[in-house]
Amino acid sequence: MKIIRSIDEMTRLTADLKRNNETIGYVPTMGYLHEGHLSLMKKAREENSVVVISVFVNPLQFGPNEDYDSYPRDIERDELLAKTVGVDYLFYPSALDMYPDEMTVEIKVKKRVNVLCGRKRPGHFDGVATVLIKLFSIIQPTNVYFGLKDAQQVAVVSGLIKDFNFPICLCAIETVREEDGLAKSSRNVYLTEEERKEAPYLYQSLLKAKNEIVAGERNPEIITTKMKELLQEFISGSIDYVEIYSYPELEELQVIEGKVIIALAVRFSKVRLIDNIIFEL
Ligand code: PAF
Protein backbone atom coordinates (compact mmCIF):
# COMPACT_ATOMS: atom_id res chain seq x y z
CA MET A 1 0.00 0.00 0.00
CA LYS A 2 1.27 3.43 -0.91
CA ILE A 3 0.57 6.63 1.02
CA ILE A 4 0.04 9.69 -1.14
CA ARG A 5 0.21 13.06 0.55
CA SER A 6 0.17 15.51 -2.34
CA ILE A 7 -2.86 16.37 -4.47
CA ASP A 8 -0.64 16.63 -7.56
CA GLU A 9 0.68 13.11 -7.07
CA MET A 10 -2.83 11.76 -6.52
CA THR A 11 -4.07 13.52 -9.67
CA ARG A 12 -1.20 12.02 -11.71
CA LEU A 13 -1.97 8.58 -10.30
CA THR A 14 -5.67 8.96 -11.16
CA ALA A 15 -4.73 9.82 -14.75
CA ASP A 16 -2.51 6.69 -14.97
CA LEU A 17 -5.21 4.47 -13.51
CA LYS A 18 -7.79 5.84 -15.94
CA ARG A 19 -5.41 5.36 -18.90
CA ASN A 20 -5.02 1.72 -17.86
CA ASN A 21 -8.82 1.27 -17.62
CA GLU A 22 -8.64 0.33 -13.95
CA THR A 23 -11.85 0.40 -11.90
CA ILE A 24 -11.26 2.62 -8.89
CA GLY A 25 -13.12 1.69 -5.69
CA TYR A 26 -12.96 4.60 -3.26
CA VAL A 27 -13.74 4.86 0.46
CA PRO A 28 -13.63 8.43 1.84
CA THR A 29 -12.90 8.55 5.60
CA MET A 30 -11.81 10.92 8.31
CA GLY A 31 -9.48 8.23 9.65
CA TYR A 32 -9.42 6.51 13.03
CA LEU A 33 -10.67 3.51 11.11
CA HIS A 34 -13.07 1.01 12.65
CA GLU A 35 -14.81 -2.17 11.56
CA GLY A 36 -17.50 -0.24 9.67
CA HIS A 37 -14.84 1.41 7.47
CA LEU A 38 -13.05 -1.90 6.97
CA SER A 39 -16.25 -3.58 5.75
CA LEU A 40 -16.54 -0.83 3.09
CA MET A 41 -12.91 -1.37 2.06
CA LYS A 42 -13.40 -5.14 1.83
CA LYS A 43 -16.40 -4.59 -0.43
CA ALA A 44 -14.37 -2.14 -2.55
CA ARG A 45 -11.58 -4.75 -2.75
CA GLU A 46 -14.03 -7.38 -4.03
CA GLU A 47 -15.53 -5.13 -6.69
CA ASN A 48 -12.64 -3.09 -8.14
CA SER A 49 -9.18 -3.56 -9.60
CA VAL A 50 -7.75 -0.70 -7.50
CA VAL A 51 -8.81 0.46 -4.01
CA VAL A 52 -8.15 4.03 -2.86
CA ILE A 53 -9.10 5.41 0.54
CA SER A 54 -8.69 8.93 1.83
CA VAL A 55 -8.00 9.99 5.39
CA PHE A 56 -8.84 13.66 5.83
CA VAL A 57 -10.43 15.34 8.83
CA ASN A 58 -12.41 17.95 6.97
CA PRO A 59 -12.56 21.22 8.93
CA LEU A 60 -15.47 22.49 6.83
CA GLN A 61 -17.93 19.97 8.23
CA PHE A 62 -17.34 20.83 11.89
CA GLY A 63 -19.38 23.56 13.58
CA PRO A 64 -17.67 26.20 15.77
CA ASN A 65 -18.45 24.24 18.97
CA GLU A 66 -17.68 20.82 17.56
CA ASP A 67 -14.62 18.64 18.10
CA TYR A 68 -12.41 19.36 15.04
CA ASP A 69 -9.25 19.84 17.13
CA SER A 70 -9.86 16.86 19.40
CA TYR A 71 -11.17 14.54 16.65
CA PRO A 72 -9.15 11.30 17.08
CA ARG A 73 -6.27 10.94 14.62
CA ASP A 74 -3.83 8.02 14.29
CA ILE A 75 -2.47 7.65 10.78
CA GLU A 76 0.00 4.85 11.67
CA ARG A 77 -2.86 2.72 13.01
CA ASP A 78 -5.02 3.58 9.97
CA GLU A 79 -2.17 2.55 7.68
CA LEU A 80 -1.85 -0.86 9.35
CA LEU A 81 -5.59 -1.50 9.28
CA ALA A 82 -5.98 -0.42 5.65
CA LYS A 83 -3.17 -2.79 4.65
CA THR A 84 -4.96 -5.75 6.25
CA VAL A 85 -7.93 -5.36 3.88
CA GLY A 86 -5.85 -4.89 0.73
CA VAL A 87 -6.09 -1.13 0.13
CA ASP A 88 -3.72 -0.05 -2.67
CA TYR A 89 -3.48 3.71 -2.05
CA LEU A 90 -4.13 5.84 1.03
CA PHE A 91 -4.60 9.49 0.10
CA TYR A 92 -3.68 11.66 3.09
CA PRO A 93 -3.70 15.34 2.14
CA SER A 94 -3.11 18.23 4.55
CA ALA A 95 -5.80 20.81 5.33
CA LEU A 96 -3.54 23.49 3.85
CA ASP A 97 -3.27 21.56 0.59
CA MET A 98 -7.01 20.97 0.42
CA TYR A 99 -7.98 24.53 1.35
CA PRO A 100 -4.99 26.79 0.54
CA ASP A 101 -7.21 29.88 0.29
CA GLU A 102 -10.74 30.80 1.17
CA MET A 103 -12.98 29.03 -1.36
CA THR A 104 -14.40 31.22 -4.13
CA VAL A 105 -17.48 29.01 -4.51
CA GLU A 106 -19.82 28.06 -1.70
CA ILE A 107 -21.75 24.77 -1.80
CA LYS A 108 -25.12 24.77 -0.05
CA VAL A 109 -27.08 21.55 0.31
CA LYS A 110 -30.74 22.53 0.14
CA LYS A 111 -32.60 19.27 0.58
CA ARG A 112 -32.36 16.23 2.86
CA VAL A 113 -30.46 18.17 5.55
CA ASN A 114 -32.97 19.76 7.92
CA VAL A 115 -34.09 16.47 9.49
CA LEU A 116 -32.53 13.74 11.67
CA CYS A 117 -28.97 14.58 12.83
CA GLY A 118 -28.58 17.32 10.19
CA ARG A 119 -31.23 19.47 11.91
CA LYS A 120 -28.86 20.13 14.80
CA ARG A 121 -25.72 20.55 12.66
CA PRO A 122 -26.37 23.54 10.38
CA GLY A 123 -23.76 23.69 7.61
CA HIS A 124 -22.41 20.21 8.31
CA PHE A 125 -23.54 18.70 5.02
CA ASP A 126 -22.38 21.80 3.09
CA GLY A 127 -18.89 20.93 4.35
CA VAL A 128 -19.31 17.24 3.51
CA ALA A 129 -20.53 18.08 -0.02
CA THR A 130 -17.68 20.55 -0.58
CA VAL A 131 -14.94 18.12 0.40
CA LEU A 132 -16.53 15.28 -1.59
CA ILE A 133 -16.71 17.40 -4.74
CA LYS A 134 -12.98 18.02 -4.34
CA LEU A 135 -12.14 14.39 -3.51
CA PHE A 136 -14.29 13.02 -6.36
CA SER A 137 -12.54 15.39 -8.78
CA ILE A 138 -9.07 14.36 -7.58
CA ILE A 139 -9.69 10.57 -7.32
CA GLN A 140 -12.36 10.10 -10.02
CA PRO A 141 -13.66 6.85 -8.57
CA THR A 142 -15.66 4.30 -10.50
CA ASN A 143 -17.46 3.21 -7.32
CA VAL A 144 -17.68 5.05 -4.01
CA TYR A 145 -18.57 3.25 -0.78
CA PHE A 146 -20.57 4.65 2.14
CA GLY A 147 -22.11 2.95 5.16
CA LEU A 148 -25.88 3.08 5.66
CA LYS A 149 -25.35 3.65 9.39
CA ASP A 150 -25.14 7.29 8.34
CA ALA A 151 -28.12 7.06 5.99
CA GLN A 152 -28.60 10.83 5.87
CA GLN A 153 -25.07 11.26 4.50
CA VAL A 154 -25.80 8.58 1.87
CA ALA A 155 -29.00 10.46 0.89
CA VAL A 156 -27.10 13.76 0.57
CA VAL A 157 -24.29 12.14 -1.44
CA SER A 158 -26.76 10.48 -3.81
CA GLY A 159 -28.28 13.92 -4.48
CA LEU A 160 -24.82 15.40 -5.00
CA ILE A 161 -23.75 12.71 -7.49
CA LYS A 162 -26.99 13.14 -9.45
CA ASP A 163 -27.00 16.96 -9.41
CA PHE A 164 -23.37 17.26 -10.56
CA ASN A 165 -23.48 14.30 -12.99
CA PHE A 166 -20.48 12.61 -11.42
CA PRO A 167 -19.95 9.37 -13.38
CA ILE A 168 -19.70 7.49 -10.09
CA CYS A 169 -21.71 4.55 -8.80
CA LEU A 170 -22.74 5.05 -5.16
CA CYS A 171 -22.52 1.80 -3.20
CA ALA A 172 -24.46 2.00 0.07
CA ILE A 173 -23.40 -0.80 2.38
CA GLU A 174 -25.56 -2.34 5.13
CA THR A 175 -24.75 -1.52 8.75
CA VAL A 176 -22.51 -4.08 10.44
CA ARG A 177 -24.07 -5.32 13.70
CA GLU A 178 -23.05 -7.14 16.86
CA GLU A 179 -24.71 -10.53 17.42
CA ASP A 180 -27.38 -8.90 19.58
CA GLY A 181 -28.22 -6.38 16.84
CA LEU A 182 -26.41 -3.31 18.18
CA ALA A 183 -24.93 -1.36 15.25
CA LYS A 184 -21.14 -1.51 15.45
CA SER A 185 -19.53 1.82 16.27
CA SER A 186 -16.27 2.88 17.87
CA ARG A 187 -18.46 4.89 20.24
CA ASN A 188 -20.06 1.78 21.79
CA VAL A 189 -17.10 1.53 24.19
CA TYR A 190 -18.44 4.63 25.96
CA LEU A 191 -21.57 2.72 27.07
CA THR A 192 -21.62 1.62 30.71
CA GLU A 193 -22.12 -2.10 31.36
CA GLU A 194 -25.80 -1.51 32.08
CA GLU A 195 -26.29 0.72 29.00
CA ARG A 196 -24.59 -1.89 26.80
CA LYS A 197 -27.28 -4.39 27.87
CA GLU A 198 -30.01 -1.89 27.01
CA ALA A 199 -28.55 -0.75 23.68
CA PRO A 200 -29.86 -3.68 21.54
CA TYR A 201 -33.38 -2.32 22.16
CA LEU A 202 -32.59 0.42 19.63
CA TYR A 203 -32.47 -2.10 16.79
CA GLN A 204 -35.31 -4.14 18.30
CA SER A 205 -37.56 -1.07 18.28
CA LEU A 206 -36.71 -0.55 14.59
CA LEU A 207 -37.47 -4.17 13.72
CA LYS A 208 -40.74 -4.09 15.66
CA ALA A 209 -41.75 -0.91 13.83
CA LYS A 210 -40.92 -2.48 10.48
CA ASN A 211 -42.99 -5.58 11.34
CA GLU A 212 -45.98 -3.45 12.26
CA ILE A 213 -45.71 -1.46 9.03
CA VAL A 214 -45.40 -4.61 6.95
CA ALA A 215 -48.44 -5.99 8.80
CA GLY A 216 -50.46 -2.97 7.67
CA GLU A 217 -49.98 0.01 10.03
CA ARG A 218 -49.33 3.07 7.82
CA ASN A 219 -49.60 5.97 10.26
CA PRO A 220 -46.09 7.33 11.04
CA GLU A 221 -47.19 8.91 14.31
CA ILE A 222 -48.64 5.68 15.68
CA ILE A 223 -45.42 3.86 14.82
CA THR A 224 -43.05 6.45 16.31
CA THR A 225 -45.16 6.74 19.47
CA LYS A 226 -45.03 2.97 19.99
CA MET A 227 -41.27 2.98 19.39
CA LYS A 228 -40.76 5.73 21.96
CA GLU A 229 -42.86 3.79 24.49
CA LEU A 230 -40.77 0.66 23.96
CA LEU A 231 -37.50 2.59 24.25
CA GLN A 232 -38.63 4.43 27.36
CA GLU A 233 -39.54 1.13 28.97
CA PHE A 234 -36.22 -0.59 28.33
CA ILE A 235 -33.49 2.04 28.14
CA SER A 236 -32.18 4.58 30.63
CA GLY A 237 -30.94 6.96 27.91
CA SER A 238 -33.02 9.85 26.60
CA ILE A 239 -34.54 9.80 23.13
CA ASP A 240 -33.19 12.49 20.83
CA TYR A 241 -35.45 11.63 17.90
CA VAL A 242 -37.48 8.81 16.35
CA GLU A 243 -38.51 9.76 12.82
CA ILE A 244 -39.89 8.22 9.64
CA TYR A 245 -39.29 9.68 6.16
CA SER A 246 -39.30 8.74 2.51
CA TYR A 247 -35.84 7.56 1.41
CA PRO A 248 -33.59 8.95 0.01
CA GLU A 249 -35.65 12.17 -0.26
CA LEU A 250 -36.06 12.42 3.53
CA GLU A 251 -39.46 14.03 3.17
CA GLU A 252 -42.27 13.79 5.72
CA LEU A 253 -44.96 11.21 5.10
CA GLN A 254 -48.63 11.37 6.02
CA VAL A 255 -48.98 7.74 5.05
CA ILE A 256 -46.09 5.27 5.10
CA GLU A 257 -45.51 4.04 1.54
CA GLY A 258 -42.72 3.40 -0.97
CA LYS A 259 -39.12 3.33 0.24
CA VAL A 260 -38.84 4.56 3.81
CA ILE A 261 -36.34 5.09 6.58
CA ILE A 262 -37.08 4.76 10.28
CA ALA A 263 -34.25 6.42 12.19
CA LEU A 264 -33.50 7.13 15.82
CA ALA A 265 -30.93 8.73 18.08
CA VAL A 266 -30.60 8.03 21.79
CA ARG A 267 -28.40 9.84 24.26
CA PHE A 268 -26.79 7.64 26.94
CA SER A 269 -24.68 8.99 29.81
CA LYS A 270 -21.47 9.42 27.78
CA VAL A 271 -22.48 8.71 24.20
CA ARG A 272 -25.22 9.33 21.68
CA LEU A 273 -26.08 6.37 19.44
CA ILE A 274 -27.89 6.41 16.10
CA ASP A 275 -29.44 3.62 14.11
CA ASN A 276 -31.90 3.16 11.25
CA ILE A 277 -33.65 0.68 9.06
CA ILE A 278 -34.52 1.26 5.38
CA PHE A 279 -37.01 -0.83 3.44
CA GLU A 280 -39.47 -0.67 0.58
CA LEU A 281 -43.17 -1.49 0.83
O1 PAF B 1 -18.31 10.11 6.87
C1 PAF B 1 -17.22 10.71 6.95
O2 PAF B 1 -16.26 10.21 7.53
C2 PAF B 1 -17.09 12.09 6.32
O3 PAF B 1 -18.27 12.79 6.42
C3 PAF B 1 -16.58 12.04 4.86
C4 PAF B 1 -17.57 11.36 3.96
C5 PAF B 1 -15.25 11.32 4.79
C6 PAF B 1 -16.37 13.47 4.34
O4 PAF B 1 -15.44 14.17 5.08
PDB file of all heavy atoms in Angstrom, residues 28-30 37 56 58 61 71 124 128 131-132 135 146 150 153, ligand 1:
ATOM      1  N   PRO A  28     -14.060   7.209   1.153  1.00  0.00           N
ATOM      2  CA  PRO A  28     -13.633   8.432   1.844  1.00  0.00           C
ATOM      3  C   PRO A  28     -13.794   8.256   3.356  1.00  0.00           C
ATOM      4  O   PRO A  28     -14.820   7.745   3.809  1.00  0.00           O
ATOM      5  CB  PRO A  28     -14.620   9.510   1.344  1.00  0.00           C
ATOM      6  CG  PRO A  28     -15.733   8.787   0.677  1.00  0.00           C
ATOM      7  CD  PRO A  28     -15.398   7.338   0.549  1.00  0.00           C
ATOM      8  N   THR A  29     -12.797   8.662   4.137  1.00  0.00           N
ATOM      9  CA  THR A  29     -12.904   8.550   5.598  1.00  0.00           C
ATOM     10  C   THR A  29     -12.250   9.771   6.241  1.00  0.00           C
ATOM     11  O   THR A  29     -11.518  10.514   5.589  1.00  0.00           O
ATOM     12  CB  THR A  29     -12.183   7.293   6.160  1.00  0.00           C
ATOM     13  OG1 THR A  29     -10.788   7.587   6.324  1.00  0.00           O
ATOM     14  CG2 THR A  29     -12.345   6.074   5.285  1.00  0.00           C
ATOM     15  N   MET A  30     -12.539   9.909   7.541  1.00  0.00           N
ATOM     16  CA  MET A  30     -11.806  10.916   8.313  1.00  0.00           C
ATOM     17  C   MET A  30     -10.803  10.203   9.230  1.00  0.00           C
ATOM     18  O   MET A  30     -10.335  10.765  10.221  1.00  0.00           O
ATOM     19  CB  MET A  30     -12.776  11.777   9.128  1.00  0.00           C
ATOM     20  CG  MET A  30     -13.705  12.568   8.204  1.00  0.00           C
ATOM     21  SD  MET A  30     -14.290  14.100   8.893  1.00  0.00           S
ATOM     22  CE  MET A  30     -15.178  13.543  10.309  1.00  0.00           C
ATOM     23  N   HIS A  37     -15.660   0.988   8.617  1.00  0.00           N
ATOM     24  CA  HIS A  37     -14.838   1.411   7.473  1.00  0.00           C
ATOM     25  C   HIS A  37     -14.251   0.191   6.756  1.00  0.00           C
ATOM     26  O   HIS A  37     -14.221   0.131   5.520  1.00  0.00           O
ATOM     27  CB  HIS A  37     -13.643   2.247   7.943  1.00  0.00           C
ATOM     28  CG  HIS A  37     -13.994   3.575   8.503  1.00  0.00           C
ATOM     29  ND1 HIS A  37     -13.692   3.944   9.793  1.00  0.00           N
ATOM     30  CD2 HIS A  37     -14.589   4.658   7.950  1.00  0.00           C
ATOM     31  CE1 HIS A  37     -14.082   5.179  10.009  1.00  0.00           C
ATOM     32  NE2 HIS A  37     -14.641   5.644   8.912  1.00  0.00           N
ATOM     33  N   PHE A  56      -8.916  12.198   5.758  1.00  0.00           N
ATOM     34  CA  PHE A  56      -8.839  13.659   5.827  1.00  0.00           C
ATOM     35  C   PHE A  56      -9.912  14.161   6.789  1.00  0.00           C
ATOM     36  O   PHE A  56     -11.113  13.960   6.543  1.00  0.00           O
ATOM     37  CB  PHE A  56      -9.038  14.280   4.439  1.00  0.00           C
ATOM     38  CG  PHE A  56      -9.007  15.777   4.470  1.00  0.00           C
ATOM     39  CD1 PHE A  56      -7.847  16.453   4.858  1.00  0.00           C
ATOM     40  CD2 PHE A  56     -10.128  16.536   4.141  1.00  0.00           C
ATOM     41  CE1 PHE A  56      -7.809  17.848   4.922  1.00  0.00           C
ATOM     42  CE2 PHE A  56     -10.092  17.926   4.194  1.00  0.00           C
ATOM     43  CZ  PHE A  56      -8.930  18.573   4.585  1.00  0.00           C
ATOM     44  N   ASN A  58     -12.006  16.786   7.766  1.00  0.00           N
ATOM     45  CA  ASN A  58     -12.414  17.946   6.971  1.00  0.00           C
ATOM     46  C   ASN A  58     -12.914  19.092   7.865  1.00  0.00           C
ATOM     47  O   ASN A  58     -14.024  19.008   8.404  1.00  0.00           O
ATOM     48  CB  ASN A  58     -13.525  17.476   6.017  1.00  0.00           C
ATOM     49  CG  ASN A  58     -14.171  18.606   5.262  1.00  0.00           C
ATOM     50  OD1 ASN A  58     -13.501  19.588   4.919  1.00  0.00           O
ATOM     51  ND2 ASN A  58     -15.459  18.479   5.003  1.00  0.00           N
ATOM     52  N   GLN A  61     -16.685  20.595   7.791  1.00  0.00           N
ATOM     53  CA  GLN A  61     -17.930  19.966   8.230  1.00  0.00           C
ATOM     54  C   GLN A  61     -18.122  19.993   9.738  1.00  0.00           C
ATOM     55  O   GLN A  61     -19.063  19.391  10.250  1.00  0.00           O
ATOM     56  CB  GLN A  61     -18.046  18.548   7.677  1.00  0.00           C
ATOM     57  CG  GLN A  61     -17.060  17.536   8.228  1.00  0.00           C
ATOM     58  CD  GLN A  61     -17.093  16.237   7.444  1.00  0.00           C
ATOM     59  OE1 GLN A  61     -16.607  16.150   6.314  1.00  0.00           O
ATOM     60  NE2 GLN A  61     -17.657  15.190   8.014  1.00  0.00           N
ATOM     61  N   TYR A  71     -10.735  15.721  17.396  1.00  0.00           N
ATOM     62  CA  TYR A  71     -11.174  14.540  16.649  1.00  0.00           C
ATOM     63  C   TYR A  71     -10.015  13.528  16.625  1.00  0.00           C
ATOM     64  O   TYR A  71      -8.877  13.911  16.333  1.00  0.00           O
ATOM     65  CB  TYR A  71     -11.583  14.933  15.221  1.00  0.00           C
ATOM     66  CG  TYR A  71     -12.336  13.832  14.518  1.00  0.00           C
ATOM     67  CD1 TYR A  71     -13.703  13.696  14.685  1.00  0.00           C
ATOM     68  CD2 TYR A  71     -11.665  12.897  13.732  1.00  0.00           C
ATOM     69  CE1 TYR A  71     -14.400  12.658  14.070  1.00  0.00           C
ATOM     70  CE2 TYR A  71     -12.342  11.857  13.117  1.00  0.00           C
ATOM     71  CZ  TYR A  71     -13.712  11.755  13.290  1.00  0.00           C
ATOM     72  OH  TYR A  71     -14.387  10.718  12.683  1.00  0.00           O
ATOM     73  N   HIS A 124     -23.229  21.427   8.329  1.00  0.00           N
ATOM     74  CA  HIS A 124     -22.406  20.209   8.312  1.00  0.00           C
ATOM     75  C   HIS A 124     -22.358  19.577   6.922  1.00  0.00           C
ATOM     76  O   HIS A 124     -21.272  19.292   6.392  1.00  0.00           O
ATOM     77  CB  HIS A 124     -22.957  19.211   9.344  1.00  0.00           C
ATOM     78  CG  HIS A 124     -22.405  17.831   9.203  1.00  0.00           C
ATOM     79  ND1 HIS A 124     -21.109  17.527   9.558  1.00  0.00           N
ATOM     80  CD2 HIS A 124     -22.954  16.670   8.718  1.00  0.00           C
ATOM     81  CE1 HIS A 124     -20.883  16.239   9.307  1.00  0.00           C
ATOM     82  NE2 HIS A 124     -21.977  15.704   8.796  1.00  0.00           N
ATOM     83  N   VAL A 128     -19.501  18.599   4.049  1.00  0.00           N
ATOM     84  CA  VAL A 128     -19.313  17.243   3.510  1.00  0.00           C
ATOM     85  C   VAL A 128     -19.369  17.297   1.979  1.00  0.00           C
ATOM     86  O   VAL A 128     -18.519  16.733   1.287  1.00  0.00           O
ATOM     87  CB  VAL A 128     -20.404  16.272   4.063  1.00  0.00           C
ATOM     88  CG1 VAL A 128     -20.353  14.932   3.353  1.00  0.00           C
ATOM     89  CG2 VAL A 128     -20.260  16.098   5.574  1.00  0.00           C
ATOM     90  N   VAL A 131     -16.152  18.952   0.417  1.00  0.00           N
ATOM     91  CA  VAL A 131     -14.943  18.119   0.399  1.00  0.00           C
ATOM     92  C   VAL A 131     -15.116  16.958  -0.570  1.00  0.00           C
ATOM     93  O   VAL A 131     -14.169  16.554  -1.256  1.00  0.00           O
ATOM     94  CB  VAL A 131     -14.546  17.646   1.820  1.00  0.00           C
ATOM     95  CG1 VAL A 131     -15.378  16.475   2.305  1.00  0.00           C
ATOM     96  CG2 VAL A 131     -13.066  17.292   1.869  1.00  0.00           C
ATOM     97  N   LEU A 132     -16.340  16.420  -0.676  1.00  0.00           N
ATOM     98  CA  LEU A 132     -16.526  15.282  -1.588  1.00  0.00           C
ATOM     99  C   LEU A 132     -16.410  15.709  -3.041  1.00  0.00           C
ATOM    100  O   LEU A 132     -15.887  14.963  -3.874  1.00  0.00           O
ATOM    101  CB  LEU A 132     -17.862  14.584  -1.309  1.00  0.00           C
ATOM    102  CG  LEU A 132     -17.891  13.771  -0.001  1.00  0.00           C
ATOM    103  CD1 LEU A 132     -19.271  13.160   0.226  1.00  0.00           C
ATOM    104  CD2 LEU A 132     -16.827  12.669   0.016  1.00  0.00           C
ATOM    105  N   LEU A 135     -12.736  15.738  -3.514  1.00  0.00           N
ATOM    106  CA  LEU A 135     -12.139  14.393  -3.514  1.00  0.00           C
ATOM    107  C   LEU A 135     -12.561  13.587  -4.745  1.00  0.00           C
ATOM    108  O   LEU A 135     -11.745  12.877  -5.341  1.00  0.00           O
ATOM    109  CB  LEU A 135     -12.519  13.657  -2.216  1.00  0.00           C
ATOM    110  CG  LEU A 135     -11.851  14.223  -0.955  1.00  0.00           C
ATOM    111  CD1 LEU A 135     -12.528  13.706   0.311  1.00  0.00           C
ATOM    112  CD2 LEU A 135     -10.359  13.894  -0.915  1.00  0.00           C
ATOM    113  N   PHE A 146     -20.141   3.997   0.897  1.00  0.00           N
ATOM    114  CA  PHE A 146     -20.568   4.655   2.140  1.00  0.00           C
ATOM    115  C   PHE A 146     -21.384   3.667   2.959  1.00  0.00           C
ATOM    116  O   PHE A 146     -22.094   2.817   2.389  1.00  0.00           O
ATOM    117  CB  PHE A 146     -21.455   5.870   1.834  1.00  0.00           C
ATOM    118  CG  PHE A 146     -20.702   7.059   1.339  1.00  0.00           C
ATOM    119  CD1 PHE A 146     -20.519   7.253  -0.021  1.00  0.00           C
ATOM    120  CD2 PHE A 146     -20.170   7.984   2.218  1.00  0.00           C
ATOM    121  CE1 PHE A 146     -19.815   8.349  -0.494  1.00  0.00           C
ATOM    122  CE2 PHE A 146     -19.466   9.088   1.759  1.00  0.00           C
ATOM    123  CZ  PHE A 146     -19.292   9.270   0.406  1.00  0.00           C
ATOM    124  N   ASP A 150     -24.884   5.867   8.510  1.00  0.00           N
ATOM    125  CA  ASP A 150     -25.141   7.295   8.338  1.00  0.00           C
ATOM    126  C   ASP A 150     -25.978   7.475   7.062  1.00  0.00           C
ATOM    127  O   ASP A 150     -25.490   7.934   6.028  1.00  0.00           O
ATOM    128  CB  ASP A 150     -23.829   8.068   8.260  1.00  0.00           C
ATOM    129  CG  ASP A 150     -24.064   9.562   8.407  1.00  0.00           C
ATOM    130  OD1 ASP A 150     -25.237   9.988   8.308  1.00  0.00           O
ATOM    131  OD2 ASP A 150     -23.095  10.300   8.607  1.00  0.00           O
ATOM    132  N   GLN A 153     -26.216  10.905   5.348  1.00  0.00           N
ATOM    133  CA  GLN A 153     -25.067  11.257   4.495  1.00  0.00           C
ATOM    134  C   GLN A 153     -25.202  10.565   3.134  1.00  0.00           C
ATOM    135  O   GLN A 153     -24.949  11.179   2.086  1.00  0.00           O
ATOM    136  CB  GLN A 153     -23.766  10.867   5.193  1.00  0.00           C
ATOM    137  CG  GLN A 153     -22.530  11.094   4.345  1.00  0.00           C
ATOM    138  CD  GLN A 153     -21.256  11.143   5.146  1.00  0.00           C
ATOM    139  OE1 GLN A 153     -20.841  12.193   5.600  1.00  0.00           O
ATOM    140  NE2 GLN A 153     -20.604  10.019   5.311  1.00  0.00           N
TER     141      GLN A 153
HETATM  142  O1  PAF B   1     -18.307  10.106   6.874  1.00  0.00           O
HETATM  143  C1  PAF B   1     -17.223  10.708   6.949  1.00  0.00           C
HETATM  144  O2  PAF B   1     -16.262  10.212   7.531  1.00  0.00           O
HETATM  145  C2  PAF B   1     -17.089  12.086   6.321  1.00  0.00           C
HETATM  146  O3  PAF B   1     -18.271  12.792   6.419  1.00  0.00           O
HETATM  147  C3  PAF B   1     -16.576  12.039   4.863  1.00  0.00           C
HETATM  148  C4  PAF B   1     -17.573  11.357   3.962  1.00  0.00           C
HETATM  149  C5  PAF B   1     -15.251  11.321   4.789  1.00  0.00           C
HETATM  150  C6  PAF B   1     -16.374  13.467   4.343  1.00  0.00           C
HETATM  151  O4  PAF B   1     -15.444  14.167   5.079  1.00  0.00           O
END
